[in-house]
Amino acid sequence: MTMTTNMGPFDRLLRVIGGVALLVWAFLGTGEWHMLGWIGIVPLATAAIGWCPLYTLIGTSTKKT
């Protein structure tokens, strides 16, 4: 499994927005479920490196060639 970029710019932008939103929920949320917001680290990390392991497993890409 190689780590070649398989995410397009729009996909990366959506992951950044979603990841930041989840982390804001983790920091500012109340109740017992707000801790799930820490999962926002995953979309931020995949957006930063431009590689999604799930895309590799299912053999797809959102990056234009």
Side-chain angles (χ1 to χ4, degrees):
M1 187 182 315
T2 61
M3 287 182 46
T4 58
T5 305
N6 62 3
M7 293 171 49
F10 185 69
D11 188 5
R12 292 173 87 168
L13 176 66
L14 288 178
R15 286 172 188 253
V16 168
I17 292 169
V20 168
L22 284 168
L23 288 175
V24 166
W25 180 46
F27 281 110
L28 302 178
T30 58
E32 60 188 67
W33 290 100
H34 79 279
M35 293 306 289
L36 288 176
W38 286 102
I39 199 73
I41 293 172
V42 173
L44 284 177
T46 58
I49 61 175
W51 179 73
C52 177
L54 180 62
Y55 285 178
T56 302
L57 287 175
I58 62 176
T60 191
S61 175
T62 58
K63 182 180 178 185
K64 303 261 195 241
T65 55

